[in-house]
Amino acid sequence: MIMDNYDQVSLRGAEEILNQIKKKPDSVLGLATGGTPIGLYEKLVQSYQSGNVDFSSVTTFNLDEYIGLPAEHPQSYSYFMWNHLFSKVNIQKRNVHILPGVFNNEQEMITRFEKKLIDCGGIDIQLLGIGTNGHIGFNEPSDHLTVGTHIVELAYETVTSNSRFFNRIDDVPTKAITMGMGSIMNAKKIILLANGKSKAEAINKTIEGKVSTDFPASFLQLHPNVQIIVDRDAASFLVEKGANRISV
Ligand code: GLP
């Protein structure tokens, strides 16, 4: 879906999530961080404040977290989620699942997270952003991709581009923990948002490129229910004008 601007991208994405919660009040949402979904979270908060949505039965799982950052660190994804969404709506803390950046027993923590995901019946809607190198969550380009939750070494491109959120590039963690490609692909529906010229090449490769572990987002071509919502700038490198392309 090619929208006029970022605000429309955010609104369209938020509508998908709001419709999902209306249809199924105990929906399981897969959530993303980064600059892109901030507008969508603002729309969800506005909708909650207008009394149009109830998060009390909603369960969430976040895609990823930086290794080494405790939940209270301002650049941790846990902090991001509480700051932009969870503290502003009536979600129940026990229904929020975010991988910890600091832990004692890696295997035990991963097993617990994945079991919860299975016990909840899987993700109804997975929200995604995209890295300029094609990463989704923190599944970085590689000669192989990992199915389940795992720890990754961040690509140099990711560290550089995420350094805008930190004081110094040296402060950016070089490792992260992320849901794997299998967990993402298992979601019943996926919504990927992107805006701006800097994402145009990535969106072209996601939709029109070959499916390759060198560009993890290209695997979304194999998922039966994906909506890619972009602004005109992020759509500007698309070549094919397929029947399934909607300009709004
Ligand atoms: C991070 C996150 C991704 C996100 C990406 C893009 O690396 N792990 O989930 O999609 O950044 O971020 P932005 O939306 O700021 O461009």
Side-chain angles (χ1 to χ4, degrees):
M1 303 191 77
I2 303 169
M3 315 299 290
D4 267 341
N5 53 43
Y6 176 66
D7 192 59
Q8 293 301 312
V9 169
S10 304
L11 189 62
R12 190 71 207 88
E15 279 167 1
E16 286 297 324
I17 291 183
L18 293 169
N19 288 339
Q20 171 66 38
I21 299 174
K22 200 167 280 173
K23 202 169 66 192
K24 186 182 168 214
D26 61 345
S27 285
V28 180
L29 307 179
L31 298 179
T33 52
T36 310
I38 290 177
L40 180 151
Y41 293 143
E42 277 170 13
K43 307 276 182 208
L44 293 185
V45 171
Q46 282 161 14
S47 190
Y48 170 72
Q49 286 167 345
S50 316
N52 293 330
V53 59
D54 175 12
F55 285 89
S56 63
S57 304
V58 169
T59 295
T60 64
F61 287 87
N62 259 80
L63 279 168
D64 47 18
E65 181 58 283
Y66 287 116
I67 295 288
L69 298 194
E72 59 278 9
H73 190 289
Q75 294 312 330
S76 77
Y77 286 163
S78 184
Y79 188 98
F80 175 102
M81 289 309 305
W82 283 97
N83 185 30
H84 288 289
L85 181 66
F86 299 150
S87 67
K88 297 177 174 164
V89 298
N90 66 334
I91 196 156
Q92 303 204 46
K93 198 169 181 201
R94 66 163 190 275
N95 291 342
V96 167
H97 305 288
I98 305 182
L99 289 157
V102 179
F103 44 83
N104 291 325
N105 186 327
E106 176 186 331
Q107 207 39 58
E108 192 194 311
M109 179 269 291
I110 289 177
T111 308
R112 204 174 334 118
F113 184 83
E114 298 216 316
K115 183 173 178 316
K116 276 188 201 145
L117 201 50
I118 294 168
D119 291 349
C120 287
I123 290 172
D124 291 305
I125 290 198
Q126 175 66 57
L127 177 64
L128 294 176
I130 184 169
T132 49
N133 66 355
H135 76 224
I136 46 179
F138 269 133
N139 291 277
E140 296 282 27
S142 169
D143 56 5
H144 72 285
L145 294 173
T146 305
V147 175
T149 303
H150 61 288
I151 290 181
V152 318
E153 193 79 42
L154 296 178
Y156 179 69
E157 190 172 335
T158 302
V159 172
T160 327
S161 88
N162 289 0
S163 67
R164 69 190 195 278
F165 298 114
F166 292 80
N167 291 333
R168 300 175 317 139
I169 191 162
D170 290 349
D171 294 341
V172 186
T174 55
K175 283 185 177 180
I177 180 154
T178 182
M179 268 164 51
M181 290 298 288
S183 315
I184 294 173
M185 294 295 279
N186 266 338
K188 292 169 193 117
K189 179 169 184 170
I190 295 177
I191 302 174
L192 185 146
L193 306 186
N195 68 288
K197 272 258 179 298
S198 66
K199 297 290 171 75
E201 190 181 346
I203 288 302
N204 166 267
K205 285 186 178 165
T206 300
I207 300 174
E208 298 177 345
K210 64 174 195 295
V211 177
S212 159
T213 61
D214 289 335
F215 202 83
S218 63
F219 276 77
L220 297 178
Q221 292 175 31
L222 306 177
H223 191 284
N225 192 2
V226 181
Q227 257 188 39
I228 299 184
I229 308 175
V230 295
D231 70 352
R232 295 199 185 283
D233 283 343
S236 58
F237 284 13
L238 291 174
V239 179
E240 292 167 28
K241 299 280 175 254
N244 58 351
R245 193 138 311 146
I246 309 168
S247 257
V248 185

